[in-house]
Amino acid sequence: MDSQGLTIEDVFESFDEVLGSASIGQVHKAKLTPEFGGETVAVKVMHPNAETRFRNDFKIFRTLCKVALPGWDPILRELEMQMMTEFDYTNEGQNLLQVGKNMAKSPYANKVKVPYPMLDLCSKNLLVMEYLEGKKLATSIEEKLSSILGGDKLMARKVLKAKQQALFESKHSGNQKKGFLKDLNDILGESNISMSVLEKAAKARMLMTMTRDARNKLSLLLDATGHQIFNDGLYNGDPHPGNILVLECGRLGLIDYGQTRSLTKHDRLALAAVVCALGRKSIDIHEITTAMNEFGFHSRDNDEENIAKFAALYFDSDAAGKRLGYATPQKYLQHLNSIDPMVEVPDPAVFVARTSFLFRGLGALLQQQLHTSQHWKKHAKIAIDAKGEDLQLYNLGMTPIANE
């Protein structure tokens, strides 16, 4: 705030606990002085020398990946370029302002909330924004499961981790009703022996309600992000669980827009064509390949079947890789590159694919194999039908995510 002739004491009456911390900075809860409104705010402060350390670390990381994961170099190049924009918090402030305006006029205005930035108080190293009262989505899920387990938070954490790992290793049967009863027996362990049928039934209902509520929140998050990508062309490229809050008012809080990405009209429509092709009941490999080529994807041999598999991995699911025995998306990507390597990956596709991967991780937390193209295809279709015109006339429904 030196450039404005203000000191920390001029602006902030108090700085409270740390709300979150990351490699380049941390967020504090604070209170403004009466002169600046006196309200409670969230303040992101950049760590000293964070930019220099990141440049050095990422250079080493890219060198190692060229050897271990050669097919990822185009993705890492775009990732590095985008992450460098995080070292100026005035950019994030402007992004918060624009995304907030977009969401306020969207069908999700009463369901999601983006914090309002106080741009007059922001600088390259400091971001002051509206404080959102709520809990992180993952924390909320963990606490509800802990309540079912009689307050055992450690057990709840272990259960969620085990279920997530089971899905990544393709051990989940996909039978939801049978799964709830089996999950309950697994979770309760030895205490299950002394528990009455009525007690087990009550806890099973609580487990079902908790899972349904969490999946509906994930469905809303996918819808809001799909709207941002295909309608607004401005979205958060880093929607990990720590960036999603369950607010006291019931809405979802969407925070941390340091990695905001923008898409041109061409990018939105090209991506929409790929997602619509992937989302059809009857898959047309040639249609998918054509859409991928028009978006800017090109492989060495133009193997259409392999390109379609790349498309599914990037924008839908890695379920095909699991069926072939590949435990992680990275190993499946290496397999696809060994058949017909992708030599051109359009920059705009990188963070959309990353967003898709992050949502699948959230789905895994809920023991759910998520297919992002199935959920985004309605937004993609609207974008194509509207030919990039104003889409605010459409009133999108909140359809719960279906099980695989």
Side-chain angles (χ1 to χ4, degrees), residues 88-104:
D88 186 346
Y89 285 161
T90 60
N91 291 332
E92 183 173 353
Q94 293 290 346
N95 291 334
L96 282 171
L97 183 64
Q98 187 57 55
V99 173
K101 289 179 178 178
N102 291 343
M103 286 290 93

Side-chain angles (χ1 to χ4, degrees), residues 235-287:
Y235 69 99
N236 187 355
D238 189 30
H240 64 73
N243 289 343
I244 303 153
L245 303 179
V246 179
L247 305 183
E248 291 187 347
C249 64
R251 289 192 285 179
L252 289 184
L254 310 182
I255 62 173
D256 194 350
Y257 274 76
Q259 292 188 33
T260 305
R261 295 298 292 152
S262 62
L263 298 171
T264 65
K265 178 180 177 181
H266 170 269
D267 295 337
R268 289 189 295 109
L269 295 178
L271 175 62
V274 174
V275 169
C276 282
L278 285 170
R280 299 193 195 288
K281 290 183 179 179
S282 180
I283 295 296
D284 185 330
I285 290 177
H286 180 68
E287 180 188 10

Side-chain angles (χ1 to χ4, degrees), residues 117 172 323:
H172 179 46
R323 288 194 293 269

Side-chain angles (χ1 to χ4, degrees), residues 295-307:
F295 194 5
F297 284 92
H298 297 285
S299 67
R300 182 190 61 198
D301 304 324
N302 198 35
D303 182 324
E304 291 199 347
E305 183 176 352
N306 207 57
I307 291 174

